[in-house]
Amino acid sequence: MNVLLSKEPLYPVFQPLLHLRTGQFFGYEALLRSSTHQSPEFLFRKARSEGHLYELDTLSMKKAIEVYFTNVTSIHHAVLLFINVFPSTLLNPAFLSFISGDLFGSWNNRIVLEISEANEEDKMWEIRLLGQKIRELRQHGFLIALDDVGSGAASLKKIVEYEPDIVKLDRYFGKQLSSLPNKQKLVSLFVQYCQDQTQLVLEGIEEPEDLSVALALGVPVGQGFLLGHPEPLLATQKRR
């Protein structure tokens, strides 16, 4: 194993996603943290530069799954677990074996693979094999989410081509939503588009007035510091 991965004390934290109308939990997004306070961005950037991105990505997934589903009986009856994954990880020949292992058990249908929008991986989306990989993951029971939708020019094309189960609108649209009518118009369009077969999540909800507008626009699910910070699992349970 790479020195970065073997020596870095890594652990997951979990940020809640809530049904905005009821306040009930829709899921938790797992995020990687380090006890040495290295930022996740630094860790993944370093792993990429050293050729160990797949190792770190799957290690992050492994830690999140182990912690979450070990405690799942006391966590709202296993609401969805969102796990970030890079397109290059999905395309790695070893990934299918990884997700078929004992680690996942019978939890596949409670796991959302949230495909990350990394600038370094833009070209990965043009590889036809990616669509096949996503179909295989669905056959294994996983749900598919597109992350940071609206932050890149190709986001709408990806929604059409990959038909995700969940669309996560970039936090840009959640911030200052109450004061920017143009954002409200776009969020409303996404609400209308997603209302039939796709679940919409609005990220970046940090102020009560933005939450109120999101509710008025019909946004079903939200995520952001106002609704809950990323915390270790035990901390999220104690707040309940």
Side-chain angles (χ1 to χ4, degrees), residues 105-140:
S106 59
W107 296 113
N108 292 18
N109 64 349
R110 308 307 298 164
I111 295 175
V112 180
L113 296 177
E114 186 173 323
I115 307 177
S116 301
E117 288 261 4
N119 293 333
E120 299 90 341
E121 305 218 343
D122 276 349
K123 292 184 178 180
M124 297 288 177
W125 293 94
E126 300 173 11
I127 299 175
R128 185 171 299 180
L129 182 61
L130 183 61
Q132 179 183 325
K133 294 292 185 182
I134 289 174
R135 287 190 291 273
E136 289 176 357
L137 290 168
R138 283 208 170 96
Q139 290 170 2
H140 280 75

Side-chain angles (χ1 to χ4, degrees), residues 188-225:
S188 180
L189 285 174
F190 275 105
V191 169
Q192 293 177 46
Y193 180 86
C194 293
Q195 62 185 357
D196 294 327
Q197 297 181 343
T198 306
Q199 183 66 268
L200 180 68
V201 177
L202 177 61
E203 299 183 280
I205 299 177
E206 299 182 359
E207 302 296 338
E209 53 269 30
D210 294 329
L211 173 59
S212 296
V213 171
L215 276 164
L217 293 173
V219 175
V221 178
Q223 184 177 5
F225 290 162

Side-chain angles (χ1 to χ4, degrees), residues 6 33-34 63 77 91 100 115 128 146-147 154 192 206 216:
S6 61
R33 295 291 185 267
S34 168
K63 288 181 176 292
H77 305 290
L91 289 167
S100 301
I115 307 177
R128 185 171 299 180
L146 290 184
D147 192 21
Q192 293 177 46
E206 299 182 359

Side-chain angles (χ1 to χ4, degrees), residues 169-186:
L169 271 184
D170 187 71
R171 59 178 52 88
Y172 166 81
F173 294 97
K175 291 183 177 180
Q176 298 181 315
L177 177 63
S178 63
S179 59
L180 295 172
N182 284 340
K183 283 190 181 183
Q184 295 170 24
K185 290 177 184 177
L186 283 172

